[in-house]
Structure formats: structure tokens, C-alpha cells
Amino acid sequence: QVQLRESGGGSVQAGGSLRLSCAASGSADMRDCVAWFRQAPGKERELVARIFMRSGATRYGDSVQGRFTISQDNAKNTVYLDMASLKPEDTAMYYCAASRNLCLLPDAVEFWGQGTQVTVST
């Protein structure tokens, strides 16, 4: 079993920055793929960024490419999402997700965190 705990959400003005953290526990073999998803009211859950813990390979959603950075601290079992140049359309609930192998799509995710709200105002 894997547990994920997000922190770092909050309210920020457009153009600002936030850092989200996802602290993971449980079998490392079951959470090699870690991702951040987000879901705004009335919209589908979408991939923000993904990282493989062993290789460090990353991938980003088109809407955040160049503004967000996903990174890891294996000693702390923590994955970070650094968000810069935030826009009002980035407002959503952000979820940490993990799987043994694949986690690009919500249906492939095996473990979810509870989510943390990010609100970007004009």
C-alpha cells in the first residue's frame, strides 16, 4: 500500500509562484511513477506533470510546459511541483498520484492523495 500526502496549496495572485509537496510512504516498488493531476470544477482531471522516481524522467502537460517543474528528493520520499507564472486558469484541486508503472492517465493511477487547493486570482 502507498500513502500520499500533499501540502503547499493556497491562494496567490496571477504571475506568482507556489510549491506543492507530495510526501509518499509505503513500498517504493509500487510508486515508481508519481504524477500531479489537477481538476477544476466542471472539468476533467488532467495531467500536470509526471516523474519516474528511479530514472528521473519527466513529462508535462501542454498547458504548464515551461512554467511548472516536477522534482524529487528520494531521501525524503517527496516529490515537488514548483509552479511559476501562475495564471487564473491554473486554479484547481491538485492531486498527487502514484503507480507501479504508468501514471499518465487518471485511469492508470493506483494511489491518490487527498488533494490540495490552488487558487490564482487576477
Side-chain angles (χ1 to χ4, degrees):
Q1 194 71 2
V2 171
Q3 292 79 41
L4 304 170
R5 186 175 72 252
E6 303 99 333
S7 61
S11 297
V12 64
Q13 288 191 325
S17 301
L18 276 177
R19 168 177 263 201
L20 304 183
S21 300
C22 174
S25 60
S27 171
D29 287 342
M30 298 181 72
R31 50 180 170 86
D32 185 49
C33 186
V34 178
W36 287 97
F37 287 82
R38 67 185 182 186
Q39 188 166 20
K43 295 188 177 181
E44 293 185 351
R45 194 167 293 193
E46 64 170 349
L47 175 75
V48 176
R50 178 225 67 203
I51 188 167
F52 283 111
M53 301 299 284
R54 289 192 178 97
S55 70
T58 60
R59 183 167 175 170
Y60 295 90
D62 291 341
S63 61
V64 306
Q65 183 77 44
R67 298 189 297 123
F68 291 11
T69 303
I70 189 170
S71 62
Q72 63 189 47
D73 184 334
N74 286 339
K76 296 182 179 179
N77 290 320
T78 299
V79 171
Y80 303 100
L81 183 69
D82 287 295
M83 305 183 292
S85 302
L86 282 161
K87 305 174 182 180
E89 50 264 45
D90 294 317
T91 295
M93 184 70 77
Y94 283 70
Y95 296 91
C96 183
S99 294
R100 185 179 289 104
N101 296 314
L102 301 174
C103 60
L104 276 181
L105 297 174
D107 287 348
V109 171
E110 298 176 86
F111 306 101
W112 290 97
Q114 293 298 310
T116 185
Q117 178 68 36
V118 172
T119 302
V120 184
S121 59
T122 55

